[in-house]
Amino acid sequence: MDDLELRAEADAILAELVGDPGGSARLREDQWQAVAALVKEHRRALVVQRTGWGKSAVYFVATALLRRRGSGPTVIVSPLLALMRNQVDSAARAGIRARTINSANPEEWGSIHAEVERGDVDVLLVSPERLNNPEFRDQVLPKLSAATGLLVVDEAHCISDWGHDFRPDYRRLRTMLNELPPGVPVLATTATANARVTADVADQLGTGGTSGALVLRGPLDRESLSLGVLRLPDAAHRMAWLADHLDELPGSGIIYTLTVAAAEEVTAFLRQRGHTVASYTGRTENAERQQAEEDLLANRVKALVATSALGMGFDKPDLGFVVHLGSPASPIAYYQQIGRAGRGVEHAEVLLLPGKEDEAIWEYFASLAFPPEDLVRRTLDVLARADGTMSLPALEPLVELRRSRLETMLKVLDVDGAVRRVKGGWTATGQPWSYDAERYAWVARQRAAEQQAMREYATTTGCRMEFLQRQLDDEGAKPCGRCDNCAGPRFTVDTSAVALDAARSDLGRAGVEVEPRRMWPTGLPAIGIDLKGRIPAGEQAAPGRALGRLSDIGWGNRLRPLFAPQAADAPVPDDVARAVVGVLADWAKGPGGWASGAPDAQERPVGVVTVDSRSRPLLIRSLGARIAEIGRLPLLGSVEYAEDAPRVPRSNSAQRLKALDGALTVPPGLASALASAQGPVLLVDDFTETGWTLTVAARQLRRSGARAVLPLVLAVQG
């Protein structure tokens, strides 16, 4: 078949794919170049093209052509469920039978494997996490590699730890690439890769050293997008602006926030102001996520208020706007998220509303980087000494890393060959391994440079689209003529007094419930602590209260400076103290509160106890004293740290409890006061992150005679 016949066949498939069989749809020349490279020449190709360019059309058209010529199924490695659902629907329009294997459908995995073996599946979409599953890796992946007709790696920038969204599961692809039979084409696609990431992805995929490998990199300007920045004084003004102007934005869209707490706050506020919006975060259940996606696709909601959980792969061609309530830490991540808008419409609005809290949030996420060498070595030593396989719950108490960070580190070590994930957990391989300190340091410097770039983006007087293109090393970058700096602002910063008052009231609302710990973490006996299972009811804390979350945009903005590393210890500020008293009053009158009048109401507290602090003693003592004075309660004393008690690490639960074991004591004077008081006490601390300090302190107080312990803290981390 010559090029003209193949091109005609490809265009016919495209017409079916877009729902216009027999229509005039045609692949663009750059898309055709990629399809021809895969189908005719069986090459490996890396395609770096702007969002909306049509990368999915390339691999679906190539799949149909290859399947007609007897090739095996296409395997698409894709990071998000939203993309998978879109892709399955798109494929069906062209008669392509697509199935997906991911965390949401484990009950279907067996039948899908059987369908693939029978040849009944044209496209198999696989989440990267599946590649690292021992059973899938050892039993399914070898067969899949042998039968694959085309391998597609979507959002391929995730392979590179130079990039903004590195995912270690993606590195397992190197194994699959090495096991592919000769001549099997490979397509890697991304919209968000600068020159360094492009080169690294090519190398990771094996394309960098492959003779004749094709790299297709196009211009990244998005002609439908009009970019702008609105600098507003505080979170209340930003929320009020959204409430006032949301209906002025075209069509339906996405409002991105940096944290789950902010997404939930903004959603609740906008609903109160009469807007039809829904929340979409990492906490959202799969069924609710799918419903939210469908509601946005069908324009049943004006916007989804989302974290980065709604990112790569969500495809709504007529998405009319993307607003960021807070700056992402990377211009590459920002470009990717705004790329959701304007794919199939001539004009879409993109607005950034930066906030003062952005940098504190960047700092928190930066703290989750690859651990220092001593912690990595300690983990490898524990695995090497283990008698067989170690599960994550068994390993976690023995190392000073939280489970999510520990698991990510192990995945990197697995790819590096130092450990291996097997059924039931992890084992050390005994292979030599070196800590690439230079690379990790470079990545940290890159993150800092990206943060500085986002500061500059928000303040630049030049073209904003050109700025983003240059950050992605686009050689065709030039002024767009559309952004607020090129064409003038399209929106004012005006907010109505009504919306601003409502936002201030909403953000000023204090009080977050603090759930008590009811179970000891697993693995404590392995580190010499004889505690396991359920915490006895007579030793538990009761549900408590906090003034706010450090991650929210209401009280979080007020509280974060109090807990900054450089903040001086000082008495509790008057406005904070008054707000805490308000929280107490609401608590007392609320369901089950001691002033609620309910038959099963909590007894009224008979005194106040503080938790000793080595970093903010003045803050906590003054807070306890103010609560005692206003509540007309005796200040009974403090739960103290033993003189030789170690610092409590910001680590996993087991390591925290190891440091707390025997460290907190109830001095005789406090024990005597508790015995005389005979009732519940308020336990006052500055903030809680995991709840274990409050849990251990409450246990000691309960054992010393307190009938109940009601924790009260300024802030919750999270």
Side-chain angles (χ1 to χ4, degrees):
M1 178 179 288
D2 62 24
D3 282 0
L4 289 177
E5 291 174 323
L6 184 63
R7 176 69 185 266
E9 187 180 355
D11 288 339
I13 294 168
L14 177 67
E16 293 176 353
L17 192 65
V18 299
D20 185 25
S24 59
R26 285 178 58 82
L27 291 166
R28 296 192 309 271
E29 285 305 312
D30 47 7
Q31 291 174 312
W32 165 244
Q33 186 180 0
V35 169
L38 298 170
V39 177
K40 284 183 60 184
E41 303 168 39
H42 293 262
R43 294 172 71 178
R44 292 187 174 186
L46 171 58
V47 172
V48 183
Q49 297 283 0
R50 65 186 182 276
T51 306
W53 173 84
K55 294 181 283 290
S56 61
V58 169
Y59 51 72
F60 280 139
V61 170
T63 292
L65 291 171
L66 288 165
R67 289 289 279 166
R68 291 178 183 181
R69 285 152 181 78
S71 293
T74 290
V75 176
I76 302 176
V77 180
S78 169
L80 288 184
L81 298 181
L83 174 67
M84 292 187 177
R85 287 191 282 268
N86 290 158
Q87 302 290 41
V88 169
D89 293 342
S90 297
R93 288 198 294 267
I96 297 171
R97 298 162 297 182
R99 299 300 303 270
T100 176
I101 294 177
N102 59 68
S103 59
N105 67 340
E107 70 285 351
E108 299 178 16
W109 293 350
S111 61
I112 292 172
H113 293 163
E115 289 177 37
V116 172
E117 290 188 3
R118 290 197 306 267
D120 294 340
V121 174
D122 298 313
V123 172
L124 180 65
L125 292 108
V126 181
S127 64
E129 291 75 19
R130 285 290 91 207
L131 301 177
N132 233 17
N133 174 274
E135 183 178 354
F136 188 88
R137 179 195 65 210
D138 296 337
Q139 298 179 28
V140 179
L141 196 55
K143 297 177 184 176
L144 206 54
S145 298
T148 296
L150 169 65
L151 174 63
V152 177
V153 183
D154 208 9
E155 307 296 352
H157 61 272
C158 295
I159 292 170
S160 175
D161 59 4
W162 303 110
H164 73 281
D165 197 21
F166 168 59
R167 301 191 183 192
D169 289 304
Y170 261 72
R171 297 281 294 275
R172 180 61 57 192
L173 284 164
R174 179 173 291 233
T175 303
M176 188 171 183
L177 283 159
N178 290 337
E179 295 174 355
L180 286 176
V184 174
V186 176
L187 173 66
T189 69
T190 179
T192 50
N194 57 20
R196 182 63 182 264
V197 172
T198 298
D200 189 39
V201 169
D203 180 63
Q204 294 286 350
L205 292 170
T207 60
T210 301
S211 176
L214 178 67
V215 176
L216 293 173
R217 186 180 175 94
L220 299 179
D221 184 20
R222 293 287 311 284
E223 295 179 359
S224 62
L225 302 184
S226 297
L227 276 58
V229 175
L230 294 175
R231 302 189 68 84
L232 293 152
D234 52 34
H237 278 83
R238 285 181 287 142
M239 284 178 55
W241 188 94
L242 277 175
D244 282 340
H245 297 278
L246 186 58
D247 286 338
E248 298 171 20
L249 298 174
S252 55
I254 301 170
I255 301 167
Y256 278 110
T257 66
L258 299 187
T259 67
V260 172
E264 293 172 349
E265 280 180 300
V266 173
T267 300
F269 175 71
L270 290 177
R271 284 176 172 171
Q272 290 167 13
R273 303 303 300 166
H275 296 289
T276 307
V277 297
S279 180
Y280 190 111
T281 74
R283 285 189 201 154
T284 309
E285 294 292 333
N286 279 331
E288 293 178 18
R289 282 197 193 195
Q290 187 167 355
Q291 185 61 56
E293 291 167 18
E294 291 172 358
D295 287 344
L296 183 60
L297 288 168
N299 296 316
R300 290 191 290 266
V301 293
K302 179 66 177 179
L304 294 188
V305 185
T307 62
S308 59
L310 181 68
M312 295 177 294
F314 182 77
D315 186 14
K316 176 177 166 59
D318 63 341
L319 197 78
F321 64 89
V322 169
V323 176
H324 277 78
L325 200 69
S327 294
S330 159
I332 301 175
Y334 183 62
Y335 176 86
Q336 180 191 72
Q337 290 175 351
I338 66 174
R340 307 272 72 79
R343 294 183 177 191
V345 292
E346 291 185 1
H347 174 77
E349 293 289 348
V350 171
L351 291 170
L352 172 64
L353 281 60
K356 295 177 182 177
E357 70 275 8
D358 297 351
E359 305 224 0
I361 296 168
W362 296 348
E363 185 177 344
Y364 169 75
F365 286 116
S367 72
L368 306 179
F370 196 73
E373 184 171 6
D374 61 327
L375 289 180
V376 183
R377 296 286 178 196
R378 197 174 311 162
T379 305
L380 290 172
D381 288 344
V382 170
L383 285 172
R385 293 195 304 268
D387 183 17
T389 301
M390 289 197 75
S391 66
L392 269 178
L395 180 59
E396 183 184 14
L398 305 177
V399 297
E400 295 179 9
L401 289 169
R402 296 183 194 177
R403 187 170 301 184
S404 59
R405 198 175 179 202
L406 173 62
E407 184 174 23
T408 298
M409 181 191 77
L410 288 169
K411 288 177 178 179
V412 174
L413 294 175
D414 187 0
V415 173
D416 290 345
V419 304
R420 181 171 173 80
R421 187 179 178 189
V422 297
K423 191 170 184 179
W426 299 84
T427 61
T429 64
Q431 297 296 316
W433 178 83
S434 61
Y435 187 88
D436 195 346
E438 183 177 348
R439 185 179 182 91
Y440 300 138
W442 192 97
V443 171
R445 292 194 298 272
Q446 179 75 0
R447 297 289 182 270
E450 289 174 345
Q451 292 174 8
Q452 179 57 30
M454 282 309 297
R455 297 183 192 101
E456 293 170 2
Y457 173 81
T459 58
T460 185
T461 57
C463 174
R464 298 196 193 277
M465 180 59 79
E466 181 183 15
F467 183 98
L468 293 178
Q469 288 177 262
R470 293 196 183 284
Q471 288 295 314
L472 276 85
D473 297 322
D474 183 358
E475 294 179 358
K478 62 183 186 298
C480 70
R482 304 178 305 275
C483 71
D484 57 352
N485 287 336
C486 287
R490 294 172 304 285
F491 297 93
T492 70
V493 295
D494 296 342
T495 56
S496 68
V498 172
L500 186 57
D501 287 346
R504 284 172 172 159
S505 174
D506 199 71
L507 291 174
R509 189 175 296 118
V512 175
E513 185 164 341
V514 178
E515 278 293 321
R517 290 283 190 169
R518 304 190 190 281
M519 300 287 293
W520 296 114
T522 56
L524 291 180
I527 55 174
I529 302 176
D530 189 23
L531 295 171
K532 59 183 178 181
R534 178 171 290 277
I535 301 171
E539 296 182 359
Q540 290 182 19
R545 293 293 187 276
L547 175 55
R549 292 186 180 92
L550 290 180
S551 61
D552 67 29
I553 55 176
W555 275 102
N557 281 349
R558 177 67 184 92
L559 293 169
R560 271 190 296 272
L562 298 181
F563 298 103
Q566 68 276 15
D569 184 31
V572 61
D574 287 342
D575 63 324
V576 174
R578 287 194 297 271
V580 171
V581 171
V583 170
L584 267 173
D586 291 342
W587 189 5
K589 297 172 186 175
W594 51 92
S596 66
D600 57 346
Q602 171 72 56
E603 289 183 78
R604 186 179 190 276
V606 297
V608 176
V609 177
T610 59
V611 178
D612 191 22
S613 172
R614 288 171 284 195
S615 57
R616 285 178 283 272
L618 189 54
L619 176 67
I620 295 176
R621 288 173 194 157
S622 64
L623 177 61
R626 292 285 292 273
I627 291 170
E629 177 187 0
I630 295 171
R632 298 180 182 178
L633 297 170
L635 185 59
L636 302 178
S638 293
V639 178
E640 298 178 352
Y641 282 96
E643 287 187 10
D644 58 349
R647 289 276 179 180
V648 179
R650 293 190 65 183
S651 182
N652 59 52
S653 294
Q655 290 294 321
R656 284 179 179 246
L657 281 166
K658 183 178 179 181
L660 287 166
D661 186 40
L664 289 175
T665 62
V666 176
L670 175 56
S672 176
L674 289 170
S676 301
Q678 287 295 305
V681 296
L682 288 170
L683 178 62
V684 177
D685 203 356
D686 52 359
F687 85 106
T688 183
E689 184 170 11
T690 64
W692 289 119
T693 298
L694 294 175
T695 301
V696 173
R699 181 173 184 252
Q700 298 286 69
L701 292 171
R702 296 294 301 273
R703 287 182 156 193
S704 297
R707 281 213 287 263
V709 176
L710 287 65
L712 178 65
V713 298
L714 292 178
V716 174
Q717 175 74 62

